[in-house]
Amino acid sequence: TGCTNKQSTPSTQEKTKVGMVTDSGTIDDKSFNQGTWEGIKKYAADKGTIEEKYLQPSGEQETDYINAINDLVDSGYKIVVTPGFKFETAINKAADAHKDSTFILIDGMPHEEGKFDFVKHDNVVSVFFTEHEAGFLAGVASALSTKTNKLGFVGGMKIPPVEKFGIGFKAGVLYANKTFGTKAEIVDYIYQGTFDDVAAGQTLAAGMYNKGVDIIFHAAGGVGAGVFNEAKQRAEKGQKVWVVGVDVDQYETGKISNGSSVTLTSAMKRIDVAAYDYIDAKLNGNFPGGQIITLSLAENGVGLPENNPNLSADTITKVEQAKKDVLDKKITVPTSEDELAKFMK
Amino acid sequence: MEYIIEMINIRKEFPGIVANDNITLQVKPGEIHALLGENGAGKSTLMSVLFGLYQPEAGTIKVRGKEVKITNPNIANDLGIGMVHQHFKLVHNFTVTENIILGMERVKNGKLDIDSAAKRIEELSKRYKLTVNPHAKIEDISVGMQQRVEILKMLYRDAEILIFDEPTAVLTPQEIEELMHIMKNMAAEGKTIIIITHKLKEIKAVADRCTVIRKGKSIATVDVKETSEEKMAELMVGRQVSFKVDKKPANPGKEVLRIENLNVKDNRGIKAVKDVNLAVRSGEILGVAGVDGNGQTELIEAITGLRNIESGKIFINDIEISNLPVRKRSEAGLGHIPEDRHKHGLVLDFSLEDNMILETYYKEPFSSKGILNREKIRSYAEDLIKQFDVRSGQGATTLTRSMSGGNQQKAIIAREVDRSPEVLVVAQPTRGLDVGAIEYIHKRIVQERDKGKTILLFSLELDEVLNLSDRIAVMYEGEIVGIVNASETNENELGLMMAGGGRDSHE
Amino acid sequence: MNKKKIIIPLLAVLLGFITGAIVMILTGHNPIEAYSALLKGAGLFGDVKRFGDTLLNMTTLILTGLSVAFAFRTGLFNIGAAGQMLMGGFVAVLIGVKFNLPPFIHVTIATITAVLAGAAWGYIPGLLKAKFRIHEVVSTIMMNYIAMWSVYYLVPKYIPGSFSTESKAINTSASLRTEWLTNLFKGSYVNLGLFLALIAVLLIWWILEKTTFGYELKAVGFNLHASQYAGMKVNRNMILSMMISGALAGLAGATYYIGYANNIKIGVLPSQGYDGIAVALLGLNSPFGVALTALLFGFMNAGRLFMQSSTSVPNELVPIIIAIIIFFAATSLMLETWLKKSEKFFKKSEGGK
Amino acid sequence: MWDIITNIVPLALAYTAPLLIIALGGLYSERSGVVNIGLEGLMGIGAFTSALVISKTAGNLGHTAVYVGLLAAALAGGIFSVLHAFASVTMRSDQVVSGTAINILSAALTVYLARSLTGSANIQIVSGFIKRDVPVLSKIPVIGPLFFREAYITTLIVFLIVVFSWFILYYRPFGLRLRACGENPQAADSLGINVLKMRYIGVIISGVLAGLGGGIVITTYSGEFSPLVYSGLGFLALAALIFGKWNPWGVVGASLFFGLAKTVADMSKLFEGLKGMPNIIFNTFPYVVTLVALVLFSKNAAGPKAAGEPYDPGKR
Ligand SMILES: Nc1ncnc2c1ncn2[C@@H]1O[C@H](COP(=O)(O)OP(=O)(O)OP(=O)(O)O)[C@@H](O)[C@H]1O
Ligand SMILES: Nc1ncnc2c1ncn2[C@@H]1O[C@H](COP(=O)(O)OP(=O)(O)OP(=O)(O)O)[C@@H](O)[C@H]1O
Ligand SMILES: [Mg+2]
Ligand SMILES: [Mg+2]
C-alpha cells in the first residue's frame, strides 16, 4: 500500500515516526502535498531512520487539522510536517498542546486567529518560499520563448503563493522586455477560482490559444491539468503551444506521444528539499526551532529545473543572467501589485 | 374432452390467510362460466393461479385434459389462456396498438411494425364489434375503450380461453350491454369464457354455469338458467340478501344545495359542464345518471372544490361556496364520498385510524392547538369500525393499503357519514363491491336521507340510481337534459335520455 | 414489526463491519487491530476528548440527516442540504464577524439567522415545486452550486479573512463553543450545537407524530390528491416542508461553521450535506434512527484517522465500509427474508418437540 | 460575434458529451423503472478504469489503447452497476439508498485501488483523443464550423449513441418493453415480459454509458484520473435527465443547454467587455439559467410512472 514504508533492513535503533497531514487536495496533487511527501519518503529511503505516514484530514477546517495532528501525535509520531498556510492557526495551537513534538510548517507561520503577529514556538520551524522569484524566471523564459508575443496566466484560487507566482511572472516578462528587447505581453491574467475544475482549465486554455497565446503559465492544480491537456492535444497536431508548470518539474506531465513535452519549463518550489532538510536537522540536533526561514533563489529553494529541453540555449543564457541580477540584488522581484507598479518604473 | 379447464383442489396461501382453500373449478369448452363470491373470497387469486401469476401450494391444473404447470403468463398465453384483469394492466402513455402488441411485437425493415399490427387490430375490432382507435393513447380514452383494448389484447394473442375479472365494475350500462353481447359472440365462435362479477343480473344474462366461492372454498357449481338470483346470493353470502333498497318515500324539506349556471372545463380545457342548474332539498336523494364522461366527474369536482369553475354559482343554504377552498366547503356542511377511493378517498399508507380523521384532524377533540390527541382518535376510530363493521386485520392500526376494497369503501363511508354533513356528494359508492356490502352501504345512505340530509348521488349504475334516488337528473354532454321522479321512470327511459334523447330534451 | 425495523439496520451494520474485516484480511491488514483502533480513536475506550469529537461529528450529521429525512417523510427528495447548510453557515459567520454583541445574544442571533437562511434557501425549490412543478432534485442540485458560488463571492467581499479563500474568524461571543463543554470534554470542540441537534430530533419527531401539522405533511407526502380532497393546502405544505428541511440544514450550518469551525472557507460544499442522505436513509427516515445513524457515522469519522495513523490500514477503507453498510441496509429485504426463514425454522423445530 | 460562437460551441460540445452520455445512461435505467442516483459513482468507475487501462497499455498499443480504455470503462461501469441492479431489482431495496451506496463506494474504492495499483491516486494518460476537424462535414457552412470543427471523435460517438438509443427506445421491441417496465411493470409482466430482466438490462446499460462517460472525461478534457473526477457531473446528468423530461432528445437539449451555459461562463473571463463584471454572475450563470429555463419550459415534468418502485409481482 502506498502510505507505509516497511524498511527491510532491521535497524537496532528505534525509528523516528514522521507524520504528515495533507492540505486541501490529495497526496498526489503534484504540488505541495506531493512535494512534501516525496521529501519525507526520500529521507526514509536515503537514511532508513524514520517511519513515515500521511493523513488526509476529513475536512479543511482548523478543527480537522488539529484532530489529524492529534491522531498522529497520539500514535507516537514525533515529527509532524504540514504543508500550506491553512495550517497556521492549527499549528499555533498544536505546538502548545504537544510540546514534545516537532512541527515543520511549510508556506506559513504560526499565529493566532485574526492576528498576523508571528507566535514563536521552539518546536516549530516555519518555511517560506520566494515563489515570486520562480515566477519571475518563468516570466523571463516565456517572454524569450514566445513566437506570438502573447502569454497567458491561469491561477487557481487567489491565495498568497499563487499570487506571488503570478506577480513574479508579470515582473519577469517586463524585465525581459526591458532588458532583452522582447515584446511579450500577458494578454490574459486569470484566476479560474478553483483548483479542481479541469473542464474550465481546458476551456480557458483553448480560448487563450485560440487568441494566439502560445505559452500559458499555470499555478492552478487540477485546473492546470486541463490546461496541460489542451496544450498536449494541440501539440499532438503539431501546433506550437507551451505550458509553464508549477511547484514541481512538470516536464513529464507535458509529455505527448512522440516523446516530446509541452512543458516549456516549470516554476519550482523545492518543498521536498525543505521537508528533507528539516527532518534531517531535527534528527541531528540542529533544528532551527522558532525560526522563520525563507528559501529563495539564493538557497536553491525556488527556481527553474536543471534541465530545460524546451528552452533554447540563448534563452537559458539570458535566464541565467536574470537569475544573476536577482542574486546580486540588482533587482528585487515584487511580491504584490503595488511593488509591481514600482518595479515597472 | 368434457372440460377444457380443470383446477382441482387448488390451495393458495398468503401470509396469514388461505386465499384458496382446496377450490375446484371445472369449465366446459365453449361455455361462459361465472365465478361468484364476496369481496376477498379468493376469485382473483384463483384466476391469477390459472394465468400463471401465482404458484399454488397444492392442486393440479388440467387444460384440455392435459395436466400443466403454469409458472408464468407466457405459458398461459401459449395454452391459449388470456386474462382481463380487475385493475387494467395498460401502459398509460402508450398507444392502443403498442399496448396490444407489447411482448409479441413484429419487426419490419428493422422497425416495429405498427402498421400491420394496427390493421390486424382493426380487423379484430370489426369482427367482435370492439370499437377502438388503434392510434389513440390510453390516457386519452375512456375506461370502456380501455377495457376493449384489454379484450383485444387477448384476441390478438389468439386466446381460446378468456378470463374476465370484474369487467363491468367500471363500465356504463351501455358498455355493459355491449360487453355481454361481445361475450356471447365470442362464445358462439367457440371461445371459452370465465367471468368474475358481483352483478347477479349479468350472470343471469350471459353465463351458462356459475361456481360460487365463499371464504376461499368452492361452495357449489350451479346451472344459471335453473338458479334464481336470490339463490345464488344466498349461496355466496351464506344468508338471505335483499336486493331492493328498503326505503320509505322521501320527505323533502327546504332547498339546501343550489347550483346556478355552472360551467366547468376539463383537464384539456374543453367545457365539460355546461350551464348546469340543480337544486336539491333536504331529506332527498337526487341521483345523477349518465354515461361515463359526460361531465359528472367535473361536476363533482367543481362542487367539492377540487376543480376551479369557469362561471356560475354554487350555494349551500344560501352561502355561496363556488370559490371557497375545499376546507371551507367542508366546514359549510359539504361531505364527499369520492369516486376514486385510492386516489382521493384514502391515504393508503396511513393507518385506518389516521384515515378516519382525514378531514377533521385539526378539530376538537382530535387535536387541540395543533396537537393530536391520539387517545381520542383511537377510540373514535374504534367506535366507527364497530359501528360500520369495517373489517381489517389489526383494527384501528391496520395499514389501509392492506384492506379489501369493500372495507376500504366502508371506512370512507363511515368517515363521511359520521361527520353528518348537510350535503353529501356520493360518487360510485359501490363500485366493485359484493352484494352484501352494497346492501349495507345503500342502507346507510338512505338512513342519512331520512335524517334530513341532502344527498347528491352520482352513479354509472342505473340500478343503483333507480333504487336509491328520489329524483333523477340525467347528464348528457355536460348538460342536465332532464330531471325525473325515480318512481315514475324506468331503465329504458333513462337509457334513452342518457343517449341524448328522451322526454325533456330541448329539441 | 417495530423490533424488526431496528434489527435490520443493526444487522446491516454488523454485516458491513464483517465484510470490512474480510476486505482487510484480503488486503493483508489485521481487522481486530484496526477496529479497536477505530473505537479507541472515537473515544469509546474512555478518552473523553475523542468521545467529544465523536459527538461533535455526530452533531452536524444529525441535522443534515434530519433535514433529508424530514423532506423524505413529506414526499420530497432534498439533495440540497449541502447548499442550505452552507448558506446557513455563511449567514451565521457573517453575523459572528460583523457584530459585537453580548455572548448569549450574539450566538442566539447568529444561530437563528442561520436557520432562517437555510429555510430561505429551501424556500426556492419548494416554491418552484409548488408553483411550477419543477422537480426538487434538479432545483436543489442547482441551488447547491448557486450557494457555493455565492459564498465564494460574498466571503472575500464582505468578511475577508487572512486569505481570500476564507472568512475572518467569528467573534467568540458568536461561537456555539462554550468553555465548560470544551473543558468537560478535555479540549474537544463539542458545543451547544449538540443540544440543538438533540432538541431538533425530539422536535421533529414530535411534529411528525404528534401534531396536526406533521399529520398534514405526511398526508401530502403519501398522497397529494387525498390531501387536496381533505382540504389541506398542498402547495403551502410543500413549501413549508422544504423550508423546514432547509432550516434544519441551516442549523447544521450553524453548528458546523460557528461550532465545529469558527470561520467559513470558500469553494467547497460541505460533504455533510450529501452524507445526510445516507444518514437519513439508513436511519429509515425516522428522527431517532437518524440520531443513531449519525452517532455511527460520527464515531467512524472521529476514529478513522486514528485508525490510519496507528495501524497499517488505509483511511480509504472507512468510506468503503460505510458504503458496504449502506448497501447491506439497502438490501435489507434479503435480511428480512432470512429473518423470516430462521423464525420459521425455529418455530418448526419447536413445534416438532 | 460569429467568431466567438464558433469558438465556444466546439468547446461546449466537448464538455457536453460526457454529461449527455451519462444522462442518457440514467434514461435507460429510469425508463426501465429504476432510479439511478449512482450515476456519479458509475462515471467514476469508468474514469478510473479507462485511465488505468490506457496508462498500462499505451506502451504496447499506442493510440489503440485509448479505444481499449473506453471499452474497458464501459465494461467496468456495466459490471459495477450490477450491484445497483441486484440491490434495487432483485432485493427490491430502496433505489436511492443503493444508488447512494454506489456513489460512496465508488469514490472510496477507485482512489484506494489507484493508490494500491499505481502508488498514486492520480493516474495520468499520455494522450487521449484530439480535437480535429471532421473531413468534409466541417466544410458545411454554418453547421460545419459549429459541430464538426475541432470536434472529438467521442462527441460523434455520443451523438451516434443518442440516435441509436432513440431508435432502439422508440422503434424496436426492446424499447417498447423497457419503457413498459418503467411505466407499468404489472402490465409488462402479464404479457410475459420478464420485468426483472428488463430492469437489469436498463440498469446495466446505464452503468455502461455512465462508465463510458467517465472514460470520455478522461480521454478528452481531463487527461488524468484523480479524486477530482467526482465533482458532481453525475448529479448534473441526473438534473439534465429530468430537465430533458426522460426523453433522448430532451436530454440532448438539456445537456447542450447546460454545456453551453457552463462554457460561456468559463470563457467569459477571456472577453474584454466582461472581465470587469463580478464573477458571481458567471459562476452561478449555468445554474441560474437552468432554473429559469425550467420555469419557462418545463412544467410538470413527470418521469416514468413506476420509476423508484421496486417491482413485486405479488403486489397489486
Ligand atoms: N398479494 C396478496 N398478498 C397477500 N394476501 C393477498 C394477496 N392477494 C390476495 N390476498 C388475500 O387473499 C384473499 C383473496 O383475495 P382475492 O383478490 O382473490 O379476492 P377476490 O375474491 O378477488 O375479491 P374481490 O371481489 O374484492 O376482487 C384476500 O382476502 C386477501 O387477504
Ligand atoms: N398487497 C396486499 N397485501 C395484502 N392483501 C392484499 C394486497 N393486495 C390486495 N390484498 C387483498 O386482496 C383482496 C382483494 O383486493 P382487491 O384489490 O381485488 O380488492 P377490491 O375489493 O377488488 O378493490 P377494488 O375494487 O378497489 O379494486 C382484499 O381482501 C385485500 O385485502
Ligand atoms: Mg378480485
Ligand atoms: Mg373488487
Side-chain angles (χ1 to χ4, degrees), chain C residues 237-315:
Chain C
N237 278 323
M238 246 177 219
I239 296 175
L240 269 179
S241 166
M242 272 314 275
M243 284 177 74
I244 292 177
S245 179
L248 287 164
L251 182 58
T255 66
Y256 188 71
Y257 291 103
I258 63 172
Y260 187 95
N262 59 2
N263 71 354
I264 190 165
K265 313 236 160 165
I266 66 171
V268 273
L269 278 167
S271 60
Q272 287 85 350
Y274 292 104
D275 294 344
I277 300 174
V279 172
L281 294 168
L282 201 53
L284 300 173
N285 293 327
S286 95
F288 297 118
V290 163
L292 281 178
T293 314
L295 179 64
L296 173 77
F297 279 47
F299 108 75
M300 305 266 285
N301 273 344
R304 58 194 280 184
L305 286 182
F306 184 77
M307 174 178 96
Q308 194 193 351
S309 68
S310 59
T311 70
S312 61
V313 178
N315 172 27

Side-chain angles (χ1 to χ4, degrees), chain B residues 186-413:
Chain B
M186 291 192 293
E189 295 221 359
K191 303 213 185 272
T192 308
I193 294 174
I194 303 176
I195 175 176
I196 299 176
T197 175
H198 293 294
K199 296 176 192 166
L200 299 163
K201 219 166 62 176
E202 292 166 4
I203 297 180
K204 269 297 208 202
V206 294
D208 301 307
R209 296 192 310 145
C210 171
T211 296
V212 182
I213 297 177
R214 195 195 309 154
K215 294 190 179 141
K217 293 193 169 65
S218 38
I219 299 298
T221 300
V222 296
D223 201 319
V224 171
K225 275 201 201 75
E226 288 156 16
T227 320
S228 69
E229 286 184 32
E230 287 74 12
K231 178 68 193 159
M232 284 193 276
E234 200 184 321
L235 278 173
M236 158 184 154
V237 191
R239 64 174 164 90
Q240 287 211 322
V241 187
S242 89
F243 294 110
K244 200 71 192 155
V245 181
D246 235 353
K247 73 172 199 207
K248 300 184 282 277
N251 191 3
K254 66 176 173 54
E255 203 174 276
V256 178
L257 174 70
R258 195 169 78 248
I259 297 171
E260 291 176 0
N261 298 321
L262 187 69
N263 286 290
V264 186
K265 283 187 179 166
D266 68 10
N267 288 339
R268 274 167 287 176
I270 299 161
K271 217 186 239 186
V273 174
K274 298 171 196 156
D275 288 320
V276 163
N277 287 292
L278 270 181
V280 196
R281 296 191 284 177
S282 71
E284 83 166 341
I285 300 177
L286 177 73
V288 178
V291 177
D292 195 17
N294 275 277
Q296 298 98 316
T297 303
E298 286 77 9
L299 179 56
I300 295 168
E301 290 180 348
I303 297 172
T304 55
L306 292 173
R307 183 182 289 273
N308 290 332
I309 62 171
E310 279 303 301
S311 63
K313 289 190 170 130
I314 307 168
F315 296 91
I316 290 181
N317 284 332
D318 296 328
I319 305 169
E320 191 184 337
I321 60 160
S322 349
N323 291 309
L324 293 182
V326 175
R327 169 82 31 103
K328 289 267 159 55
R329 295 188 201 211
S330 138
E331 283 169 352
L334 186 70
H336 176 198
I337 294 170
E339 93 186 290
D340 187 334
R341 52 182 171 257
H342 288 174
K343 184 176 176 191
H344 286 122
L346 295 165
V347 178
L348 290 172
D349 295 300
F350 267 180
S351 62
L352 182 52
E353 63 184 6
D354 277 355
N355 268 302
M356 288 298 196
I357 55 163
L358 201 58
E359 292 149 297
T360 45
Y361 63 92
Y362 63 95
K363 285 195 208 161
E364 302 262 16
F366 307 122
S367 66
S368 80
K369 302 199 180 72
I371 296 163
L372 294 170
N373 185 337
R374 282 279 158 207
E375 258 167 59
K376 287 272 158 55
I377 295 169
R378 174 69 50 86
S379 64
Y380 172 73
E382 276 168 356
D383 189 43
L384 282 191
I385 289 169
K386 208 188 285 157
Q387 226 190 99
F388 286 78
D389 189 30
V390 183
R391 288 180 211 171
S392 65
Q394 289 113 329
T397 58
T398 314
L399 196 66
T400 321
R401 187 180 287 286
S402 74
M403 291 165 51
S404 78
N407 283 303
Q408 288 173 346
Q409 185 70 355
K410 278 197 210 164
I412 295 172
I413 287 171

Side-chain angles (χ1 to χ4, degrees), chain B residues 39 43-44 86-87 166 198 341 405-406 431-433:
Chain B
N39 290 121
K43 308 175 295 287
S44 299
Q86 185 167 356
H87 304 274
E166 287 190 47
H198 293 294
R341 52 182 171 257
R431 203 179 248 188
L433 301 191

